[in-house]
Amino acid sequence: MGESPVPFVLPPDALRGVGSRPFGVYVHVPFCATRCGYCDFNTYTAGELGSAASPESWLDGLRRELDLAAQLLGAAPPADTVFVGGGTPSLLGADGLGHVLDAVRSSFGLAPGAEVTTESNPESTSPEFFAGLREAGYTRVSLGMQSTARHVLTVLDRVHTPGRPTRAVAEARDAGFEHVNLDLIYGTPGERTSDLRASVEAVLDAGVDHVSAYALIVEEGTALARRVRRGELPPPDDDVLAEDYELIDSMLSAAGLRWYEVSNWAASEAARCRHNLGYWLGGDWWGAGPGAHSHVGGVRWWNVKHPARYSSVLAQGHLPVAGQERLTGDDRKLERVMLELRLAEGLPLDALDGDGLRQAEQAVSDGLLDHAAAAEGRAVLTDRGRLLADAVVRRLVA
């Protein structure tokens, strides 16, 4: 709780383009019922927080932060997208999430046709919850599934029962949600190919129009990392991860869900997550909540992490900014290559310098970038290139 806020202003050139670029609002909900062993997000259980913070004090702080944000941005643009993540936003209930969206509306407003997403743990949802979300104005739900195999969920310390995510999808559909995402994690120690295949089949049977699939990463400081270090569990195997990814991609593609970002598949262009596309395409967003990150016009900043500190700083009338950085031209170029190359549309080759262009030519020869796309002036990953996306990025920006 020792973080101190820093004075924060946005330079005129960063503010100049506000409103001309897509603008999103991310809201970080820092509360979880339990801590998953693989997670290193800025989250807290009730036992960890004690009386230091509560959903009520957090919501008061959120309202203050969003009001200050709108003042700082001047003619604040209405939000094209809103994404409520965490943590476990569904612990707030539909009423609490309705208050969150009301706070965004009050400070910024919502653009016509705005995409409004919340993450949810299937165990803290119900038909009434989804109906309340729809009434509040949410248009999209993202549900954590990870796996249908009970032993895999046990390794991940996930508390939901294997069949609950697909039932939650049905409840969300019945409530009127057209856009529903399920998250998968692959490469968990002990996960067999048959386990992963069954999980993907369950996703397809659920009828969602969006799937996110992430390779398990052993993050330092997590319970999973400690178990791997002690030799209780093997670390994820790169060859197995590649085979898992190819299985997921082939099954989803055969069912009509096409990749549009290396870890994301959608049934149509309308099903793509517009909020995340804003990140990947270098848009502006305000990240509200403890530890949330923001970006406007080449300036990036992040909030103090602890919910109690977050609320106390805002109660004094200050933005809870813990640090900031001004991205240089080289920084922005690196980020553009790193993010846009992960998209199915790829990156314009004219975004690369001479060395990068030569490396792109070599990557085409190596089968990592698509030859036909390169002939049309774009760097687009091949299927093999997607497996080595990070390495391709390093080559193009070396």
Side-chain angles (χ1 to χ4, degrees), residues 118-171:
T118 184
E119 295 178 340
S120 298
N121 185 315
E123 294 295 334
S124 50
T125 64
S126 66
E128 294 75 22
F129 170 82
F130 291 116
L133 286 185
R134 285 294 295 153
E135 185 175 352
Y138 285 80
T139 66
R140 189 174 179 276
V141 177
S142 180
L143 295 161
M145 177 176 180
Q146 285 69 53
S147 175
T148 58
R150 191 176 296 276
H151 66 278
V152 172
L153 295 173
T154 299
V155 171
L156 295 173
D157 290 328
R158 293 291 297 184
V159 297
H160 67 71
T161 51
R164 176 58 200 157
T166 54
R167 292 196 298 276
V169 170
E171 292 167 1

Side-chain angles (χ1 to χ4, degrees), residues 7-8 57 70 82 94 108 145 168 205 259 262 296 374:
F8 182 69
S57 64
V82 179
F108 289 106
M145 177 176 180
D205 289 344
W259 78 282
V262 168
V296 171

Side-chain angles (χ1 to χ4, degrees), residues 243-256:
E243 292 170 1
D244 287 349
Y245 182 88
E246 290 176 325
L247 174 63
I248 292 167
D249 183 54
S250 65
M251 293 181 69
L252 295 180
S253 296

